[in-house]
């Protein structure tokens, strides 16, 4: 019996997807629920499993094609008899596969990495994977190419010397690669341009002394982890402090819909996560109702799912306010860009010990610069400054977070 393998129903906000790579060829046997193909949407990579055991009869769509909900991708000849009839074809197809299935660390290729490996005809066994269990990411492939360990098949020749002028010879690798943007990277670019062209963005700065937060973490980190099974980090403190500041200044928690301002009476906080595919912003729903331990657990789980590619589209949509932390990469100060239709985003930065005047004396304190980028159409400068001051006061005196002061 022939079964049509179709594109699963995509969410309403997603109109199409890109077929990244097939994991099976015509004539190969498949098992029920085995992943056949990866589809990349604007935010996540979807896997299409086999509905039944059998043999791939025909592929209807090639790698790199754009597909829509319900579109036929392949024809599967179902049944145990069909599966048993294909061992020779399966062995032959396996022999024809490029050696890009596994890395030397024993890990698999991420979809974007696999596409680059195939495009540049690379040997994946020569690429070291930096991901979990040796998984090779797109960044690993780019780094491998940049290091000149293996040049692409169509590398451009070095420029010839001009006969009239003797120039110094070029040294090192001078290869170039032209790689199309992934759907996620293209979507990020689209959203950034949208934010810059539609919002009146302005950024205000302040700094916070994290001495009190550090003391709490040092005093209770072991008991906290033993009691809740998760480490006490900085994320929960900043989310809690942001929520208290948002209560005082509701315009910062609003959004713009046409000519209307929508004031949200709940706090869905997005926490930006850097992944191999680009920046993702999982949303913690009703963050105001969660404890410190629940916030730390949510941040950790969402970060893991985002980096593993298992996060769902629903977990990335919505949000009333966003927090991003460039400090984990060493950023001392930056101006984050809005995540429309939100009207504000908080930027955290590197904690750095600096000499500060405290009660007339110079003391070394762990300081962090804070940045609030906001839409000046509905958030005034006074509100933005006072909002950061409220966060500063809550973090420098964490008892305010318990008393909601």
């Amino acid at each position: 019996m022939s079964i049509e393998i179709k594109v699963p129903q995509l969410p309403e906000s997603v109109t199409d997807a890109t077929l990244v790579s097939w994991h099976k060829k015509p004539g190969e046997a498949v098992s029920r629920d085995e992943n056949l193909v990866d589809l990349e949407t604007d935010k996540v990579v979807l896997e299409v499993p086999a509905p039944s055991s059998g043999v791939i009869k025909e592929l209807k769509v090639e790698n790199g094609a754009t597909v829509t909900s319900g579109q036929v991708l392949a024809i599967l000849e179902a049944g145990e008899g069909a599966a048993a009839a294909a061992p020779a074809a399966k062995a032959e197809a396996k022999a024809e596969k490029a050696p890009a299935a596994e890395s030397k660390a024993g890990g698999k290729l991420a979809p974007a990495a696999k596409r680059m490996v195939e495009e540049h005809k690379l040997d994946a066994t020569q690429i070291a994977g930096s991901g979990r269990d040796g998984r090779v990411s797109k960044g690993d492939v780019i780094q491998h190419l940049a290091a000149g360990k293996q040049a692409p098949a169509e590398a451009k020749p070095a420029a010839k010397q001009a006969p009239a002028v003797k120039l110094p010879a070029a040294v090192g690798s001078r290869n170039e690669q032209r790689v199309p943007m992934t759907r996620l990277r293209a979507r990020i670019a689209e959203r950034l341009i949208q934010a810059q062209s539609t919002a009146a963005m302005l950024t205000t700065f302040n700094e916070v002394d994290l001495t009190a937060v550090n003391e709490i973490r040092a005093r209770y980190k072991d008991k906290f982890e033993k009691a809740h099974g998760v480490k006490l980090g900085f994320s929960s403190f900043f989310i809690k402090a942001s929520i208290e500041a948002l209560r005082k200044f509701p315009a910062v928690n609003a959004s713009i819909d046409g000519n209307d301002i929508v004031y949200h009476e709940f706090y869905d906080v997005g926490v930006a996560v850097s992944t191999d595919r680009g920046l993702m912003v999982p949303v913690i729903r009703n963050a105001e109702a969660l404890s410190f331990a629940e916030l730390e657990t949510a941040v950790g789980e969402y970060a893991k799912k985002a980096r593993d590619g298992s996060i769902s589209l629903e977990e990335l949509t919505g949000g009333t306010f966003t927090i991003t932390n460039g400090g984990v990469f060493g950023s001392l100060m930056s101006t984050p860009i809005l995540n429309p239709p939100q009207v504000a985003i908080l930027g955290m930065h590197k904690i750095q010990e600096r000499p500060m005047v405290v009660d007339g004396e110079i003391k070394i304190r762990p300081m962090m610069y804070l940045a609030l980028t906001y839409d000046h159409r509905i958030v005034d400068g006074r509100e933005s400054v006072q909002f950061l001051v409220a966060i500063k006061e809550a973090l420098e005196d964490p008892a305010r977070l318990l008393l909601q002061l």
Side-chain angles (χ1 to χ4, degrees):
M1 179 181 66
S2 296
I3 299 177
E4 293 182 336
I5 307 299
K6 297 182 179 181
V7 178
Q9 185 64 40
L10 301 175
E12 292 184 3
S13 59
V14 178
T15 57
D16 54 33
T18 299
L19 195 153
V20 178
S21 60
W22 281 102
H23 297 294
K24 294 292 181 179
K25 294 181 179 179
E28 287 190 322
V30 300
S31 302
R32 180 183 175 88
D33 296 327
E34 184 177 1
N35 183 27
L36 300 179
V37 62
D38 292 325
L39 304 178
E40 184 178 31
T41 69
D42 293 345
K43 296 183 177 181
V44 296
V45 174
L46 304 175
E47 295 182 350
V48 180
S52 173
S53 298
V55 175
I56 296 296
K57 184 177 180 181
E58 180 184 1
L59 300 183
K60 295 286 189 179
V61 182
E62 298 295 329
N63 290 346
T66 299
V67 296
T68 56
S69 295
Q71 183 175 343
V72 177
L73 299 175
I75 303 298
L76 174 69
E77 192 66 31
E80 297 298 333
K90 182 177 181 180
E92 181 181 353
K94 184 176 181 181
E96 293 176 356
K97 283 186 178 179
E102 300 285 335
S103 71
K104 65 181 181 181
K108 297 181 179 179
L109 294 171
K114 183 176 181 181
R115 182 167 57 186
M116 288 191 65
V117 166
E118 293 173 349
E119 287 176 353
H120 298 295
K121 298 181 176 62
L122 302 178
D123 183 356
T125 61
Q126 301 300 314
I127 304 175
S130 62
R132 175 171 296 185
D133 298 327
R135 186 178 178 87
V136 176
S137 68
K138 178 181 175 182
D140 295 329
V141 179
I142 294 175
Q143 184 177 2
H144 177 78
L145 290 169
K149 295 179 181 178
Q150 182 172 340
E154 299 181 359
K156 294 184 179 180
K160 295 182 178 180
Q161 275 190 338
V165 181
K166 189 173 183 180
L167 299 175
V171 295
S173 174
R174 291 177 57 79
N175 299 322
E176 294 181 351
Q177 301 90 37
R178 184 182 296 272
V179 181
M181 283 189 183
T182 63
R183 289 183 65 93
L184 175 60
R185 177 58 59 187
R187 180 59 173 164
I188 291 173
E190 178 186 338
R191 295 274 289 176
L192 294 178
I193 295 299
Q194 175 191 354
Q196 290 183 318
S197 61
T198 60
M201 289 194 297
L202 191 62
T203 304
T204 187
F205 299 91
N206 210 317
E207 60 181 351
V208 57
D209 183 346
L210 292 173
T211 299
V213 173
N214 281 347
E215 289 177 350
I216 291 176
R217 293 180 66 242
R219 184 184 306 171
Y220 296 109
K221 64 179 182 180
D222 294 335
K223 292 182 180 179
F224 186 90
E225 185 173 3
K226 184 177 180 180
H228 302 292
V230 64
K231 293 182 179 180
L232 179 59
F234 288 98
S235 298
S236 55
F237 285 93
F238 276 86
I239 294 173
K240 285 284 188 180
S242 297
I243 291 172
E244 292 310 312
L246 291 170
R247 293 183 196 274
K248 297 176 182 178
F249 304 98
V252 184
N253 193 51
S255 61
I256 296 179
D257 184 11
N259 292 325
D260 297 331
I261 300 175
V262 181
Y263 291 96
H264 306 290
E265 297 180 0
F266 52 89
Y267 305 93
D268 289 351
V269 180
V271 180
V273 177
S274 178
T275 72
D276 292 337
R277 298 176 59 237
L279 191 69
M280 295 187 182
V281 187
V283 178
I284 302 175
R285 312 287 179 186
N286 294 111
E288 74 279 8
L290 303 181
S291 66
F292 278 79
E294 289 170 331
L295 288 173
E296 292 290 351
T297 300
V299 170
E301 290 180 351
Y302 278 141
K304 180 180 181 299
K305 292 174 71 173
R307 295 186 177 111
D308 290 347
S310 60
I311 196 164
S312 68
L313 197 62
E314 290 74 16
E315 292 168 327
L316 295 171
T317 55
T320 61
F321 182 75
T322 295
I323 299 176
T324 182
N325 186 4
V328 296
F329 305 109
S331 172
L332 189 61
M333 185 177 292
S334 66
T335 55
I337 297 179
L338 293 178
N339 184 20
Q342 298 172 27
V343 297
I345 179 172
L346 176 69
M348 300 167 55
H349 298 92
K350 179 182 179 181
I351 301 174
Q352 189 173 55
E353 290 190 340
R354 298 200 302 271
M356 304 295 294
V357 178
V358 181
D359 297 329
E361 297 181 359
I362 297 179
K363 297 183 179 181
I364 302 300
R365 295 290 183 137
M367 305 298 296
M368 175 192 286
Y369 288 116
L370 300 178
L372 181 75
T373 296
Y374 58 97
D375 192 335
H376 212 342
R377 291 180 296 172
I378 69 170
V379 179
D380 295 330
R382 175 185 60 84
E383 290 175 304
S384 67
V385 172
Q386 291 180 331
F387 178 86
L388 279 186
V389 170
I391 291 180
K392 172 184 173 70
E393 291 176 344
L395 293 172
E396 292 183 346
D397 183 10
R400 291 172 176 264
L401 298 177
L402 299 176
L403 301 176
Q404 294 187 349
L405 297 176

